[in-house]
Amino acid sequence: MLCDPEYRKLLDTDALQPDTVPVEGLPVPPVFAADGLTPAQLLWLIADELGLGVDRTEDVYALLAEEQERPVPVVVADVDRSGVLRELDGPARAAQEVLLPLALAPGIRLLTDVPRAQAEWLAERLPAEDLLVIDLDEEPWADADALRLQAAAMVDLPDSAEAIARNAGGPLVVELAAWSLLAVPDGPAVGFPTTVGDALDLHAERCGTDELTLRRLLAPLALAGAGASLPFSLWEPLASAVAGKDLSSAFADGQALLLPFFDLLDGDDDADGSEPAVRLRHPALAGELRERFGTTARESSRRMASALLARLPEGPGRWSEAPAYTRSGLVRHALEGGILPELMADPAFLVHADQVVLRAAAEHLTGTGAELPAVGRTWLRLAPLFTRTQADARTIAGLLEHGCRQDGLSVSEFGVDLPWRTLWHRPLAGIAGITAAAGPDGTPAVVANLPGGEQPLVAHHAQTGEPLDGDPEQLVRPSDEDRETGALRLSVGGDYLRIWQAEGGQLAVFAATAPLAGADVTPDGIVLVADSTGLSALRVQIPGS
């Protein structure tokens, strides 16, 4: 802020210690928010901003290790909220894969805010003379005068403000204690908190209820993840689910009880912003609540996942109507609750879940040795394709259906109308090209070029995939007139295929995990695709046909 001229104007620099104020005219350092990013995403965000100009992660690390003429300042914020899965290993992986290499880089001067556990981890691996850890709750950085000023600014009662500052273990505790007094100004005298846990317990006492009820009501916000929000309409139902009892009355009467601990937002960060959302006032609250859960956190997450599932409508299309939070939050709760493998047996769930979150969760599962169901394994094989292309649910369903046929699985219901059906798939290695063809009797066929194989040309029935006898050279290729009068047109890229209606617009996009070896279409509209896995035939859904 002090390097940016506009922000600098907002601060009274004369009131600051001179040795903490940089000279004017310094360049504004780049600031990178780690919130919700994987380590790889964060690393490449930084690499792109620094203009490293490489394509491989190992090259990024190599360039960071080189000496630079002038060190570059880099700021990495919100590490406590890093990672797609929020509460799992996001901060730890960010510290290991991004922050440590940056801190060791001779050409980088790193400023970052991290959880205490990651600060201690980094301190064990960095030279003491190169590291400065600032913890505002610990000496020599704790500032009792600042706490008194903070309390006095929030509470217009000098004695109470003084008592809050004297007891509080840090700025957050001051804030929570002040909010407690503001929420219940006429409440009983219950003392003043030292820790975040004290703030929860003493406020419950001030409101005349037990601390367990307060913690149960706040549980869904804590389980949503560090810094994550929750649609307001889900708060009470999920709290009741976690508690295993109806908390609707406690929630309805709990405005003063809950007020100090949450923020009301315009919209949920996992949704479209169409309804208000809530989140805990500070990630430390989530940490305190989750720590008290202990071994029951798994069961609490399972109950939240089950409650979200119970809110879905019945019927085959229920996932297409799932709210945005369900498509992402359910993945996190199901993972932590131990029921994600069960959900991943449902192709419709795989299609409609948030693909980035589900991929991170599935990779975490397999990393622990967990076994995925067969369709889940197929989905995970294709997940890089889904997250890279950001395809819609219909395209994901079509690609997953094709992947299932490649893997020998028979799956019929994907919770959405498919853009095509895979008629057949034949494993064929080394295909160099394909063309549509027809036999003397009009039998639709496909001829594949296999250079170096026992047979350089092989032919299959375009509708069934069965090998055709006879010389493939004798099959007739479609004429230009046949192609002009066909129902479909193709445009082929390196690893994708756009399918167009002859008298209309684009019908579908087929994408592959590897470069295509060839593509063609028969006059009657069977799309033929070859890649490194073999040869397939697709029957594209044409509107009105």
Side-chain angles (χ1 to χ4, degrees):
M1 291 177 67
L2 290 172
C3 293
D4 187 306
E6 295 303 316
Y7 277 111
R8 191 180 182 108
K9 294 176 183 177
L10 303 177
L11 300 174
D12 181 7
T13 55
D14 293 335
L16 302 176
Q17 290 181 230
D19 59 353
T20 67
V21 181
V23 298
E24 293 188 63
L26 292 177
V28 179
V31 179
F32 305 96
D35 187 2
L37 298 183
T38 66
Q41 289 172 324
L42 178 59
L43 182 66
W44 282 106
L45 187 66
I46 296 171
D48 289 344
E49 177 66 26
L50 296 179
L52 298 186
V54 295
D55 298 320
R56 300 186 307 164
T57 300
E58 51 267 36
D59 293 335
V60 174
Y61 291 139
L63 285 179
L64 288 176
E66 294 181 359
E67 293 286 347
Q68 302 295 326
E69 181 177 345
R70 176 177 295 180
V72 177
V74 170
V75 180
V76 180
D78 302 326
V79 175
D80 58 332
R81 304 178 186 185
S82 64
V84 176
L85 298 176
R86 307 283 189 184
E87 290 295 341
L88 288 177
D89 54 358
R93 288 189 58 200
Q96 178 180 351
E97 299 175 34
V98 181
L99 300 183
L100 184 60
L102 288 175
L104 291 172
I108 299 292
R109 293 295 177 264
L110 175 66
L111 173 64
T112 182
D113 66 299
V114 297
R116 183 173 282 109
Q118 276 63 60
E120 295 172 351
W121 185 88
L122 288 168
E124 294 173 355
R125 290 159 177 80
L126 293 171
E129 63 273 16
D130 293 341
L131 176 69
L132 175 63
V133 177
I134 300 175
D135 187 337
L136 297 181
D137 292 339
E138 301 289 342
E139 296 294 342
W141 306 102
D143 190 337
D145 290 336
L147 296 183
R148 281 192 289 270
L149 290 172
Q150 179 189 4
M154 296 189 68
V155 177
D156 192 21
L157 297 169
D159 291 342
S160 296
E162 177 63 29
I164 288 174
R166 185 171 59 251
N167 286 275
L172 176 60
V173 180
V174 170
E175 181 180 349
L176 296 177
W179 269 107
S180 179
L181 280 179
L182 295 172
V184 193
D186 300 325
V190 296
F192 299 95
T194 300
T195 66
V196 172
D198 293 342
L200 287 162
D201 298 344
L202 290 174
H203 181 67
E205 186 178 348
R206 176 173 281 115
C207 293
T209 189
D210 60 282
E211 56 89 15
L212 182 59
T213 297
L214 173 58
R215 290 173 180 268
R216 282 173 168 172
L217 288 171
L218 294 174
L221 278 62
L223 292 171
S229 61
L230 183 76
F232 184 83
S233 61
L234 290 177
W235 188 356
E236 180 275 316
L238 293 182
S240 296
V242 171
K245 59 186 293 187
D246 185 2
L247 294 181
S248 56
S249 296
F251 184 80
D253 298 335
Q255 180 176 354
L257 177 65
L258 297 169
L259 184 62
F261 306 108
F262 76 94
D263 291 322
L264 185 64
L265 310 175
D266 290 337
D268 170 37
D269 55 7
D270 284 325
D272 56 9
S274 59
E275 69 164 302
V278 288
R279 72 179 175 199
L280 290 175
R281 196 173 293 278
H282 193 279
L285 278 166
E288 163 64 28
L289 291 164
R290 291 178 66 92
E291 184 177 357
R292 186 69 66 90
F293 283 137
T295 57
T296 66
R298 180 183 176 93
E299 174 61 18
S300 298
S301 295
R302 187 197 65 77
R303 291 181 180 184
M304 285 185 67
S306 298
L308 290 172
L309 286 170
R311 296 174 68 87
L312 292 175
E314 296 294 331
R318 64 180 190 150
W319 284 108
S320 63
E321 301 177 25
Y325 181 83
T326 299
R327 300 184 192 199
S328 57
L330 176 59
V331 175
R332 299 184 181 104
H333 302 317
L335 172 64
E336 194 166 359
I339 63 172
L340 185 57
E342 176 185 331
L343 285 178
M344 292 187 70
D346 182 352
F349 167 75
L350 298 173
V351 165
H352 289 94
D354 183 300
Q355 300 295 291
V356 173
V357 177
L358 183 56
R359 178 184 175 184
E363 289 174 345
H364 178 84
L365 267 180
T366 56
T368 64
E371 182 74 14
L372 297 182
V375 68
R377 292 194 296 273
T378 296
W379 178 89
L380 184 56
R381 175 172 66 81
L382 299 174
L385 179 64
F386 300 151
T387 55
R388 173 171 58 85
T389 61
Q390 298 181 331
D392 59 20
R394 186 167 181 263
T395 302
I396 291 172
L399 296 173
L400 181 57
E401 184 269 350
H402 179 254
C404 288
R405 291 299 297 271
Q406 288 178 315
D407 294 345
L409 304 178
S410 178
V411 181
S412 59
E413 182 54 60
F414 293 86
V416 66
D417 291 335
L418 295 175
W420 59 73
R421 285 282 182 182
T422 304
L423 299 178
W424 51 268
H425 173 77
R426 294 289 180 269
L428 279 177
I431 299 178
I434 62 172
T435 184
D441 59 354
T443 299
V446 54
V447 177
N449 180 14
L450 301 173
E454 293 183 8
Q455 295 177 277
L457 295 177
V458 296
H460 291 263
H461 197 295
Q463 293 177 342
T464 66
E466 294 299 322
L468 294 178
D469 297 329
D471 183 3
E473 292 278 11
Q474 301 303 312
L475 297 175
V476 180
R477 276 54 171 176
S479 66
D480 291 342
E481 182 180 354
D482 290 334
R483 294 188 182 279
E484 285 296 323
T485 58
L488 299 177
R489 305 281 188 271
L490 303 181
S491 54
V492 184
D495 58 359
Y496 68 90
L497 173 68
R498 295 187 184 276
I499 306 169
W500 306 80
Q501 193 170 4
E503 301 297 332
Q506 180 175 291
L507 293 176
V509 178
F510 178 92
T513 56
L516 296 178
D520 205 350
V521 59
T522 65
D524 63 342
I526 297 176
V527 175
L528 307 163
V529 183
D531 61 16
S532 58
T533 69
L535 181 62
S536 300
L538 313 177
R539 175 66 77 183
V540 177
Q541 303 300 317
I542 302 176
S545 63

